[in-house]
Amino acid sequence: MLKNMKNLMNKRKAGRVVLAGILSLALAAGTMAGCGSDTEKADNTGGAKKSDSEPKTDSVSQEEGPVEITWLTSGTDEDFNTPGKVNYECLTDFNNSQDKIHVNVEHYANQNDLFEVIQMKLAAGTAEYDVISVDSPMVPSYANQGWLLPVEEYFSEEELKDFTDTALESAMYDSHLYAPALQNSTVVLCYNTNLLKEAGMELRENDVNNRLTWEELVDYSRQALEKLDPDGSRGITGIEFSQVSRTYLMNMLPNSMGGAQIGEDGFTVEGVLDSEPWINALNWYQTQVNDRICSRGVKASEAPDNFYSDKSVFYVASAAAIDTISRKMDHFDYTCVPAFAGMEDKVATPCGSWNIAVNVNSEHADEAVEFIKYMTLGKGNELRYEFSSNVPARHSVLEELTEKEDAPKYINIAVYEAQNTAVLRAKTPGYSEYSAALDSMWEDIRNGVDIEESVKSAITAINLSMEQYK
Amino acid sequence: MKTKRQSFYRRIFPYLLILPAGFLVAAFKLFPIFQTLLSGFVKEGRFNLDIYKNLIRDPAIWNSLWITLKFNLITIPLQIVISFCLALLVNSNVRGIGVFRVLFFSTFAVSTTISVLVWEKLFNYSNGLFNSILSTFGFPTQGFLLSADQALFCIIVMVTWKGCGYWMIFFLSGLKEIDLSLYEAAKLDGAGPVSTIFRITLPLMKRVILFVCVANTTANMLLFAPVQMSTQGGPRSSTNLLMYEAYKSAFKYSNQERAGAIVTILVLIIGVICFLQFKFLDNSEAQ
């Protein structure tokens, strides 16, 4: 009896062990299968939004339909899903106008997210994306790392000549064309007409040949603040920069005093950032912050809302923002950006915007090139100006737009600035490190840090990081 | 023969059972760790120490190291003391105590993004709540996140507010494990509340304290999200934690090797601190 019980127990024990073994294997297999299916199903967009039509597999697309290519870019859901929005119009027109290529899009509302995805995925050699939107100063960096396909053979000399000088330069690296410009940019000085009216003020007549000066602008601001917000309780700022503490916009101050962006070799900043124009410009800016003419503590992401909600009298912004501002408020106007008194011949305006390139690992390079040509030279490029206030990067479009009787004012400003005052951002493979150091420097100076110390620290950081590119 | 086979079976079979799990651990834990450690020593496909040499002469790294140590030297003890005190407070059986437990824990349930945004608004230089209160009472406006002297402390406040509720739960479970008769005996012997905490509660909580110390150290040494969202390492690099420096190298500058080397340094520091914590707090032998 006891023996039988023992046998039964042993059998049960063995059964349990076998069961445990089977369960363990099943668990492992399940996990592996789960991983497998996850990999297959993974969105891999890292929070990005994809367009409605998901890409089909290559075999299907080759046999049954158009070649599917993917465009990695910036933009919001609204930009890609709303009729009348430039990206929606371009994409819909391209996909509907022919049946050989279908473009899917993966877009990121936050540009920094896009930069991170580009850095991570292209560095890993992904073929997931065929077309990539590239912020123009990043072209040298991406090209230097071998992530972009040179595309000069696809563009005729005549087509290249149509790009403005700065637009073409921003697309080139090491004598190769990598990323033709989608559009250009320039900056304008916007002002809140209601606030000026409330303060009983009017700006003097001005234009590109007779600009306001920064000194005058400070005076206007001071007078306006004395009347509108003497104790600061309304939180009104005199002059707000739309991209405050960001290299793109802030460097226009030292540039407008004659300062360069970077040394000629594309690596050196000693003798540039600590030069007289830079130090003077940094001092000027810090003084305005300390005097409450310019803001402290407002982030670049908050600056536009401050202008829309009547918290800034003057607002230095990209011309591309005019379209958005017009939809948010009706009591504003704009003019060309000011000059520093006595340095009217040195006015410098930022330029460069988004360029578009082909991933070097794309399996559909020809189709990708066809799309970028459509976006930079074809109808897609025309739509960009029809549905937004972007500044064209091509002579022919600029001429066409200026000849129109109802051409918006910013186009004439943009044409003048592009031909006379536009300064490209620093052309260096280490632009990420350069701009990060300068962004910190501008923010530190805004927060009252000693200028010499800030400049020295930026120079040290840039020098160290540039070594890897030399 | 049968016994030999059985003994072999008994010895090998457990390993067979854990083999799938072992494989998964190796593939998804050990391999990435090894790869990260290795990345700091390999440049252009060859082994070299240039990355570490560059790190050593980079003042930004020394500054970040100092900031990281300062941040942790303040944050870890602060969080542990506050969470322990909270656990003591909610370890009573009065009616409605559950509400307080949930309330204290709820800060942990708030996403980091939301909590940082809220704290940013509170610390806002021009229209934040704290500066409004200060100016109401005639105090000067403070820079908070814009001040190189205050920004790190603001980050410490943010992470302490968010983290304490979480660590409190571990302490609370430790307190619940202590036999109530010990407290009754101590009371009969005339022990006061303070001596009860120091002579009974803390010695019996050593294992929980050790766990919280190790886990808290690891979490705070690797913390970077609040910095990335609110100060981006500034002002004047005063919040540039090592982990944020690694993040910038990896995601902003595509410099995986530098990021790998920084993370290796961080892992070593965490290892040393945890070793010391085990050495001084582990009482498993005594028990």
Side-chain angles (χ1 to χ4, degrees):
Chain A
M1 179 72 177
L2 197 67
K3 206 177 172 184
N4 281 345
M5 284 283 282
K6 248 184 180 175
N7 278 341
L8 190 67
M9 293 275 281
N10 279 341
K11 271 183 188 171
R12 278 188 181 171
K13 202 173 171 186
R16 259 187 246 141
V17 169
V18 171
L19 185 67
I22 291 167
L23 283 175
S24 296
L25 283 172
L27 180 69
T31 312
M32 296 305 286
C35 289
S37 69
D38 275 356
T39 314
E40 282 159 23
K41 288 175 188 171
D43 187 21
N44 274 341
T45 57
K49 305 287 183 181
K50 285 195 171 183
S51 67
D52 293 336
S53 54
E54 287 298 313
K56 297 165 191 169
T57 60
D58 277 352
S59 57
V60 173
S61 66
Q62 279 164 9
E63 285 164 17
E64 292 174 8
V67 173
E68 303 269 353
I69 61 171
T70 305
W71 175 27
L72 175 65
T73 185
S74 65
T76 60
D77 277 350
E78 196 189 350
D79 291 336
F80 286 92
N81 298 326
T82 317
K85 287 282 182 181
V86 61
N87 284 319
Y88 172 88
E89 295 295 339
C90 289
L91 217 55
T92 311
D93 180 72
F94 183 81
N95 285 338
N96 293 342
S97 63
Q98 42 75 47
D99 55 8
K100 290 179 189 161
I101 307 165
H102 183 89
V103 179
N104 298 297
V105 66
E106 181 174 314
H107 58 91
Y108 290 82
N110 185 333
Q111 290 178 13
N112 289 333
D113 292 341
L114 172 70
F115 297 148
E116 283 181 9
V117 172
I118 292 175
Q119 300 271 12
M120 293 307 293
K121 293 208 173 176
L122 267 64
T126 184
E128 197 180 335
Y129 310 112
D130 304 284
V131 179
I132 303 138
S133 291
V134 183
D135 192 18
S136 63
M138 296 307 293
V139 173
S141 170
Y142 298 167
N144 184 53
Q145 298 189 72
W147 298 346
L148 309 181
L149 184 77
V151 291
E152 58 266 19
E153 66 182 272
Y154 297 94
F155 286 76
S156 69
E157 229 171 85
E158 206 171 296
E159 286 171 334
L160 291 180
K161 272 184 188 166
D162 196 18
F163 288 104
T164 62
D165 293 346
T166 50
L168 186 59
E169 205 187 327
S170 75
M172 311 276 296
Y173 180 70
D174 215 9
S175 307
H176 289 289
L177 178 77
Y178 283 100
L182 276 173
Q183 63 214 22
N184 206 339
S185 72
T186 192
V187 288
V188 290
L189 174 70
C190 301
Y191 48 93
N192 186 313
T193 49
N194 276 6
L195 287 180
L196 285 178
K197 203 173 163 188
E198 193 183 333
M201 292 166 57
E202 207 172 305
L203 297 188
R204 72 163 171 82
E205 286 287 312
N206 71 90
D207 59 31
V208 287
N209 298 311
N210 176 29
R211 292 173 191 263
L212 291 169
T213 63
W214 286 104
E215 290 77 3
E216 280 179 297
L217 205 64
V218 169
D219 276 344
Y220 282 129
S221 300
R222 193 166 284 128
Q223 288 172 41
L225 290 177
E226 273 168 18
K227 288 175 184 164
L228 300 169
D229 192 16
D231 58 355
S233 58
R234 282 176 71 182
I236 296 177
T237 300
I239 307 167
E240 188 66 271
F241 291 87
S242 64
Q243 295 195 34
V244 65
S245 298
R246 286 189 188 164
T247 306
Y248 167 79
L249 193 59
M250 302 311 290
N251 279 17
M252 72 181 284
L253 297 175
N255 294 158
S256 291
M257 288 188 173
Q261 301 278 36
I262 197 166
E264 279 177 12
D265 59 355
F267 301 112
T268 311
V269 284
E270 254 158 343
V272 176
L273 300 187
D274 50 0
S275 64
E276 202 184 330
W278 272 83
I279 300 297
N280 289 343
L282 297 173
N283 266 312
W284 178 88
Y285 178 59
Q286 196 172 55
T287 307
Q288 306 321 319
V289 176
N290 291 340
D291 291 352
R292 221 167 49 84
I293 300 294
C294 294
S295 71
R296 175 178 288 162
V298 174
K299 287 184 172 182
S301 56
E302 297 163 348
D305 285 329
N306 277 7
F307 186 64
Y308 309 148
S309 55
D310 302 335
K311 295 285 183 195
S312 317
V313 183
F314 296 102
Y315 181 58
V316 184
S318 160
I322 291 170
D323 187 38
T324 314
I325 301 172
S326 315
R327 278 185 271 119
K328 302 272 183 183
M329 61 196 286
D330 55 5
H331 49 281
F332 87 102
D333 202 351
Y334 60 92
T335 181
C336 54
V337 288
F340 282 103
M343 298 188 212
E344 285 79 359
D345 57 331
K346 289 180 181 166
V347 176
T349 52
C351 65
S353 182
W354 285 97
N355 295 27
I356 190 164
V358 178
N359 177 3
V360 75
N361 292 316
S362 167
E363 285 159 11
H364 305 290
D366 288 339
E367 289 79 7
V369 170
E370 197 166 320
F371 179 63
I372 70 168
K373 287 194 81 168
Y374 166 86
M375 293 294 281
T376 54
L377 296 166
K379 195 181 170 195
N381 201 243
E382 290 164 25
L383 293 171
R384 295 200 81 74
Y385 313 119
E386 194 179 327
F387 288 97
S388 74
S389 55
N390 284 312
V391 176
R394 288 160 56 209
H395 293 297
S396 58
V397 186
L398 279 168
E399 281 162 21
E400 197 181 309
L401 288 173
T402 43
E403 280 167 12
K404 278 185 180 173
E405 277 183 17
D406 58 346
K409 193 165 61 172
Y410 72 84
I411 286 294
N412 290 314
I413 294 175
V415 170
Y416 181 88
E417 306 291 28
Q419 288 169 352
N420 297 283
T421 65
V423 175
L424 266 184
R425 279 170 273 180
K427 199 160 186 186
T428 168
Y431 187 80
S432 293
E433 292 89 337
Y434 167 89
S435 68
L438 286 200
D439 289 354
S440 299
M441 184 189 79
W442 281 108
E443 182 62 16
D444 283 349
I445 284 167
R446 189 185 186 208
N447 291 330
V449 176
D450 178 64
I451 287 173
E452 201 182 324
E453 188 194 324
S454 304
V455 169
K456 206 174 152 190
S457 141
I459 289 175
T460 309
I462 295 170
N463 280 347
L464 269 169
S465 55
M466 287 296 179
E467 279 177 18
Q468 62 183 305
Y469 298 107
K470 287 178 183 172
Chain B
M1 184 68 185
K2 199 179 175 185
T3 324
K4 241 184 179 180
R5 205 195 302 164
Q6 268 181 347
S7 130
F8 176 77
Y9 177 77
R10 270 194 201 137
R11 269 190 289 135
I12 295 300
F13 192 71
Y15 292 105
L16 286 175
L17 286 178
I18 61 166
L19 192 64
F23 170 74
L24 293 175
V25 169
F28 297 111
K29 293 272 183 193
L30 296 178
F31 177 68
I33 292 171
F34 179 72
Q35 204 181 27
T36 305
L37 296 182
L38 196 67
S39 68
F41 292 100
V42 179
K43 200 176 178 185
E44 288 158 5
R46 275 185 293 178
F47 177 87
N48 73 46
L49 293 169
D50 280 1
I51 298 154
Y52 285 92
K53 281 182 195 165
N54 289 340
L55 283 186
I56 287 168
R57 62 191 187 85
D58 186 347
I61 290 296
W62 289 105
N63 175 62
S64 293
L65 185 62
W66 167 234
I67 300 288
T68 306
L69 292 177
K70 193 161 73 170
F71 172 79
N72 282 284
L73 281 173
I74 301 169
T75 309
I76 298 168
L78 187 70
Q79 285 194 353
I80 290 173
V81 170
I82 293 176
S83 349
F84 185 71
C85 292
L86 286 177
L88 286 175
L89 280 175
V90 298
N91 188 33
S92 63
N93 290 321
V94 295
R95 190 193 279 185
I97 194 67
V99 175
F100 288 96
R101 285 178 193 154
V102 171
L103 206 64
F104 291 139
F105 180 73
S106 62
T107 56
F108 180 72
V110 178
S111 85
T112 306
T113 315
I114 302 296
S115 64
V116 172
L117 286 175
V118 170
W119 278 101
E120 263 196 305
K121 295 282 173 209
L122 297 177
F123 284 129
N124 191 289
Y125 174 78
S126 44
N127 50 18
L129 179 72
F130 295 140
N131 267 331
S132 303
I133 294 171
L134 287 174
S135 58
T136 306
F137 291 103
F139 291 104
T141 305
Q142 297 298 308
F144 293 126
L145 289 166
L146 304 182
S147 158
D149 299 326
Q150 298 170 359
L152 189 68
F153 295 98
C154 295
I155 302 284
I156 290 171
V157 171
M158 285 182 199
V159 298
T160 305
W161 174 84
K162 184 165 160 50
C164 280
Y166 178 68
W167 303 119
M168 177 198 79
I169 294 293
F170 292 98
F171 283 127
L172 186 61
S173 68
L175 288 172
K176 294 280 178 207
E177 288 288 307
I178 299 173
D179 193 343
L180 287 177
S181 61
L182 289 170
Y183 289 117
E184 283 161 15
K187 209 173 178 182
L188 286 174
D189 288 344
V194 177
S195 62
T196 306
I197 288 173
F198 282 97
R199 286 168 188 267
I200 294 177
T201 312
L202 283 177
L204 289 173
M205 292 270 290
K206 263 193 170 180
R207 293 183 78 147
V208 179
I209 293 171
L210 175 65
F211 168 76
V212 172
C213 281
V214 171
N216 194 329
T217 304
T218 312
N220 283 317
M221 289 291 283
L222 300 177
L223 181 125
F224 84 104
V227 172
Q228 189 222 1
M229 290 181 63
S230 60
T231 60
Q232 288 88 45
R236 246 168 70 200
S237 302
S238 62
T239 58
N240 197 33
L241 299 172
L242 260 186
M243 193 60 205
Y244 182 63
E245 189 65 27
Y247 161 80
K248 281 196 293 186
S249 295
F251 291 93
K252 283 191 164 180
Y253 311 147
S254 273
N255 195 338
Q256 300 295 337
E257 298 88 3
R258 188 172 185 267
I262 296 174
V263 169
T264 304
I265 292 171
L266 261 173
V267 168
L268 284 176
I269 295 171
I270 293 170
V272 169
I273 296 173
C274 291
F275 170 77
L276 292 174
Q277 287 171 341
F278 269 105
K279 196 169 168 55
F280 291 110
L281 288 170
D282 190 13
N283 64 342
S284 52
E285 278 176 29
Q287 280 187 346

